[in-house]
Amino acid sequence: MGKLVLYRLGFALPQLLVVSIIVFSLTYLVPGSPAAAILGVSATPESIAQVESQLGLDRPVTERFVEWFGGMLHGDLGTAYRSGLPVTDMLAQRLPATLSMIFGGLVVAIVVGVGVGVITGTRPGTTTDRVLTGGTVFGIAVPEFWLGMILTTVFAAWLGWLPIVGWVPFSEDPLLWLRGLILPSLTLGLTGGAIIARQTRAAMVRSLASPYTDTLIAAGVPRWKILYRYGVKNAMVPVLAATGVTFAILIGVSFVIEKVFSFPGLGSLMLTSVIGQDFPVVQGVVLLTATLVIGVNLLIDIGYGLINPQARPS
């Protein structure tokens, strides 16, 4: 177990280093000056130079990167150009809304995806299989923001069952927090569930067509036991990999869905920061999301290695 964790960490840490270099570099390739964006149309060359000097933008890029990277190692991502607030505080304020939506969507995706995948995988070629498989194609193809607007129109505007503006902090009202997560989680989870369902179906079909299944049938093992004790268990190995990919997709999609449901998360913060060329905030958001993706995939890789002995390092 310890060797497997160290092995996976050996891949994760260089990834974070590369991501940090790319994040810092790309923000400074954006045309224009953050000082000019802050000052607006009334900016003059002298005032721009003065603000750039105050922000430290007139220093060499390498010097700024060393300072930023050193602060990152100590949990300091700098200060926002516009608000003057620490970037870590801004991220900590927005992170709960985004994580609530993402993990809510991931729960829906796993429940829907595994359930549909098991049903279709155990009934290949039937009408149920064709209908549900067609539904997964629709789930992958439909734009998430459109699905979110349809769900909001039906369940919030017409029926009045759920709130239109979803986010309420858990500390204020846990029940309203949960009700506000239903529509965003469904919007994210249905798309992610379609991906997991297709992987689960393919894994179930392969598992039930393997020679050991024929042996169990010949030995008189009940069909339900073969399906759910052996078939589903062996099918979960590739599903774990699909879950990691789904999590990465949900993070990107959540930035769009936040605008649909007025969630004060990282997506809206990222949008306003890009428009205002607030580079420290942009760097912080991208680095945080990359860390989340790498961290979750690290956990999934470890779980995959525990389930599948062939994936463990020799």
Side-chain angles (χ1 to χ4, degrees):
M1 177 65 180
K3 188 174 182 180
L4 176 62
V5 173
L6 293 176
Y7 182 76
R8 298 304 182 187
L9 282 175
F11 285 98
L13 295 179
Q15 287 177 336
L16 285 175
L17 175 61
V18 172
V19 167
S20 65
I21 295 174
I22 294 176
V23 167
F24 186 87
S25 302
L26 289 180
T27 52
Y28 288 96
L29 296 178
V30 178
S33 170
I38 294 173
L39 294 173
V41 295
S42 61
T44 62
E46 294 77 12
S47 60
I48 292 175
Q50 182 180 0
V51 173
E52 287 182 344
S53 177
Q54 293 174 353
L55 298 176
L57 297 176
D58 55 346
R59 295 183 298 163
V61 175
T62 54
E63 181 181 338
R64 298 201 302 269
F65 174 75
V66 170
E67 180 181 355
W68 177 78
F69 189 78
M72 182 194 69
L73 295 178
H74 294 86
D76 182 11
L77 296 176
T79 304
Y81 290 159
R82 290 182 171 272
S83 64
L85 298 175
V87 175
T88 51
D89 292 347
M90 298 175 68
L91 297 180
Q93 183 180 7
R94 300 292 190 110
L95 186 60
T98 299
L99 285 184
S100 298
M101 181 190 298
I102 292 172
F103 282 103
L106 189 62
V107 170
V108 173
I110 292 173
V111 172
V112 173
V114 173
V116 171
V118 169
I119 293 173
T120 55
T122 55
R123 299 171 176 82
T126 62
T127 302
T128 302
D129 177 32
R130 288 193 289 269
V131 171
L132 292 179
T133 301
T136 61
V137 174
F138 175 79
I140 295 174
V142 67
E144 291 82 2
F145 69 88
W146 180 83
L147 178 61
M149 290 189 291
I150 293 298
L151 292 177
T152 301
T153 302
V154 174
F155 293 101
W158 291 355
L159 300 177
W161 292 352
L162 297 168
I164 296 178
V165 179
W167 175 247
V168 175
F170 180 83
S171 57
E172 292 185 9
D173 193 322
L175 182 60
L176 288 180
W177 170 82
L178 183 60
R179 291 184 70 238
L181 282 179
I182 294 176
L183 289 181
S185 298
L186 283 175
T187 304
L188 288 176
L190 292 178
T191 300
I195 299 173
I196 295 177
R198 295 180 69 87
Q199 295 292 329
T200 306
R201 180 191 181 279
M204 283 294 298
V205 171
R206 287 195 304 268
S207 178
L208 296 178
S210 59
Y212 78 86
T213 302
D214 296 333
T215 303
L216 292 173
I217 294 175
V221 179
R223 178 174 172 79
W224 67 267
K225 194 172 184 179
I226 296 174
L227 293 179
Y228 298 103
R229 184 171 180 178
Y230 300 100
V232 174
K233 181 180 179 181
N234 293 330
M236 289 301 102
V237 175
V239 170
L240 274 177
T243 302
V245 175
T246 302
F247 181 81
I249 294 174
L250 293 185
I251 288 183
V253 175
S254 68
F255 283 11
V256 179
I257 300 303
E258 284 182 9
K259 299 299 294 182
V260 177
F261 295 99
S262 301
F263 260 55
L266 296 176
S268 56
L269 179 63
M270 180 74 165
L271 179 61
T272 55
S273 300
V274 169
I275 295 174
Q277 295 189 1
D278 202 338
F279 292 156
V281 181
V282 175
Q283 292 165 351
V285 173
V286 175
L287 186 63
L288 178 59
T289 53
T291 304
L292 287 174
V293 173
I294 293 174
V296 169
N297 278 277
L298 175 64
L299 295 176
I300 291 176
D301 285 344
I302 294 173
Y304 184 83
L306 295 175
I307 295 176
N308 184 12
Q310 295 180 348
R312 300 174 189 173
S314 58

